[in-house]
Amino acid sequence: MRPFVRTFAALACTAAFAAGAQAQQVNLKMQATWPASLTLYENFTFFAERVQKISGGSLKIETMPAGQVVPAFEVLDATSKKVLDGAHAWSGYWVGKNKTAILFTGGPGGTFGMDMIDALGWMHFGGGDELAQEFFQKELKLNIH
């Protein structure tokens, strides 16, 4: 989940600033792997609200709970096939595709026993993001970032 969110946040901010320069609004449809009744979904909506705020309204994310467009655990493939613009999920859900996916889940006690701060450091400054991209694009053959 977190690698997708962090990567998507970086892309979202880039798209927002690019869109702001062109004075147009970008609307993205994203679906979560959890129902609207869970706190995780509330975190997703909070993320979308913050992205809209920091982009000055030029980037709007339509948040959808699990099952609204595709079944919960099909959001990765739906994003790859451009049925959805993005997904809010946890990489551990993709271990059925390849057990390596668990490496991109983060702490606590997740990736290599790191806490969340260490996991974020590894993802952003230790090559984790690049390794995740290689895994999802080359190993799983998915059209995602």
Side-chain angles (χ1 to χ4, degrees):
M1 171 188 77
R2 289 190 168 90
F4 286 168
V5 172
R6 286 190 302 271
T7 300
F8 186 79
L11 287 174
C13 290
T14 302
F17 291 118
Q22 298 171 357
Q24 66 184 21
Q25 184 171 353
V26 175
N27 296 302
L28 301 175
K29 291 182 353 180
M30 291 181 65
Q31 183 183 306
T33 53
W34 22 79
S37 60
L38 291 184
T39 302
L40 291 168
Y41 184 77
E42 185 179 340
N43 292 341
F44 179 33
T45 60
F46 178 71
F47 165 75
E49 290 167 6
R50 297 299 297 168
V51 167
Q52 186 170 354
K53 185 175 181 177
I54 64 171
S55 71
S58 64
L59 178 59
K60 184 174 192 288
I61 299 172
E62 178 187 348
T63 61
M64 297 175 283
Q68 187 164 330
V69 176
V70 297
F73 302 118
E74 292 181 19
V75 295
L76 187 65
D77 292 317
T79 301
S80 180
K81 295 174 183 171
K82 299 184 181 185
V83 172
L84 297 168
D85 296 314
H88 193 260
W90 178 62
S91 290
Y93 293 148
W94 320 131
V95 295
K97 292 178 176 293
N98 186 308
K99 290 183 181 4
T100 306
I102 203 69
L103 295 176
F104 308 108
T105 59
T111 309
F112 317 115
M114 293 185 251
D115 66 18
M116 205 58 210
I117 300 300
D118 292 336
L120 285 170
W122 174 67
M123 287 302 293
H124 292 289
F125 303 107
D129 277 335
E130 294 82 7
L131 189 60
Q133 288 309 299
E134 182 177 343
F135 169 69
F136 285 107
Q137 293 171 357
K138 293 181 181 174
E139 293 298 319
L140 296 185
K141 311 255 187 273
L142 295 169
N143 182 26
I144 63 167
H145 181 84

